Structure formats: structure tokens, C-alpha cells
Amino acid sequence: MMMSEIRAIVGLGNPGLDYAKTRHNAGFLALDRLAARRGGHFVRNRFGLVSKWGNIILLKPLTFMNLSGEAVGALAKFYKLPAQSILVISDDLDLPLGKIRVRAHGSSGGHNGLKSITHVLGTDQFPRIKIGISRPPEHVEVIDWVLGRFSREEWQVLDGVLDEVAEACEWAVVKGIADTMNRFNGL
């Protein structure tokens, strides 16, 4: 079995019950699913909510989305993790609900959590899994959309997507990002 260089997986979201089931918390939701599949649970520490999967650190930053880089940067510094060993899971407006996209690196695409991580790490050379949440309807502001809750119908779609993201994380840890992109992009 080949092991990749992934040493941490970070799910992006906002802490607190007010945000728990919002579109912007898709990264938190995916990390919860991964931890559940791996028999882990989250405990609070100086970086945020942390779980372990073997030697892989799972992190849900508690800094709120726009300051996600603070928690990720502190984790990277403490564990001496290069950016390319940190897999980040985030929501993405430009992907339709039900789709995911795996990237080895890239721009923030306007996502404030990814912008913050890029700023603090000083690079965009970290892998990511983007979870489609679709664009808002014409009459809905983007901020209201991302901070809005998934509908019952959206949850039915999201449930399968969260399993797919958890599987993509597992694949990335074992096979690496290039193989993960080949396996999961375009599904």
C-alpha cells in the first residue's frame, strides 16, 4: 500500500449551533462524516476541534470561516507540516449541489476561508476538496445563501456527497492527490 503525503485534513466552517447545518459548513459536515467512518470523535484544543485517524490530524477550526488560516497556520507550524500535506475541504458556489472537485492546489475562487489559509501559509499549493452548494437563486444574496440551511431535498443529495467526500479523503491519504483527482473528478 502506498501512502501519500497528507498529514492533516481540515474541514472549513463556522462554529456554533447557528451555523451548524448551513451551506458554508459543508467542510465541517464532511469531516464529521470522515471521523464517524473512522471511529473518531472531536475534542477541543488550541487549534480548534481535533480528531485523529491514525497519524492523520482532522481539524475543524473554531476561528470562523474568514480567519481559518489562523488555526491552519498554527497547526502547520506546531507539527511542521508543509502546505501540500494539508488537505482542505470547503464549500463551493461554482459547483452544482451533488458534485465535488479535487484539486492539488489553486486559487481561492473568492472563498474567504481558502483566502485566509493561502494568506497565512503564504501559498496556494495545498490540496483541496470542494463541495458544490450551487449558486443562489437570483433574488438571494450570496452571504444569505452560504449562511442559509440546506433544504430537506438538498440534504438528501448532500448525504451521499458527504460519503463521497469521506471516501475521497481516505483515497487521498492512501493513494495521493493525483490518483484522487483521477478517481473522483468528473463523477
Side-chain angles (χ1 to χ4, degrees):
M1 177 184 343
M2 177 186 158
M3 291 299 286
S4 79
E5 58 189 17
I6 302 298
R7 295 292 169 254
I9 303 173
V10 178
L12 298 186
N14 286 307
L17 292 177
D18 290 343
Y19 302 103
K21 304 234 176 178
T22 63
R23 291 176 186 88
H24 223 17
N25 274 33
F28 275 15
L29 296 167
L31 211 55
D32 287 339
R33 182 68 54 96
L34 176 62
R37 285 170 63 122
R38 292 289 163 186
H41 64 282
F42 288 90
V43 295
R44 188 182 191 121
N45 74 11
R46 64 179 148 187
F47 307 116
L49 296 175
V50 176
S51 184
K52 294 281 276 186
W53 161 29
N55 67 343
I56 309 298
I57 301 158
L58 308 180
L59 171 66
K60 296 193 297 185
L62 297 179
T63 52
F64 287 92
M65 184 66 78
N66 294 357
L67 300 174
S68 297
E70 291 179 7
V72 174
L75 182 84
K77 183 176 180 180
F78 183 82
Y79 288 104
K80 297 176 177 49
L81 300 174
Q84 65 270 18
S85 73
I86 303 169
L87 175 61
V88 177
I89 307 168
S90 68
D91 61 289
D92 192 308
L93 286 166
D94 292 323
L95 286 174
L97 181 70
K99 296 291 183 185
I100 71 169
R101 180 85 19 91
V102 182
R103 293 285 184 245
H105 54 79
S107 77
S108 68
H111 191 285
N112 288 332
L114 295 175
K115 279 183 196 175
S116 176
I117 294 168
T118 299
H119 174 74
V120 171
L121 295 180
T123 183
D124 65 2
Q125 299 296 302
F126 55 90
R128 68 237 15 223
I129 299 175
K130 299 177 178 188
I131 300 171
I133 62 169
S134 301
R135 284 252 164 218
E138 191 172 305
H139 65 282
V140 177
E141 294 293 323
V142 169
I143 190 69
D144 295 330
W145 180 255
V146 298
L147 295 179
R149 298 187 186 285
F150 289 102
S151 70
R152 184 179 317 241
E153 294 78 20
E154 289 172 323
W155 270 110
Q156 292 174 344
V157 174
L158 187 65
D159 187 54
V161 170
L162 296 177
D163 282 333
E164 185 179 356
V165 173
E167 185 181 342
C169 289
E170 293 166 342
W171 195 275
V173 166
V174 175
K175 300 281 191 176
I177 291 299
D179 279 359
T180 305
M181 290 188 308
N182 289 336
R183 167 72 174 84
F184 289 90
N185 288 346
L187 295 180

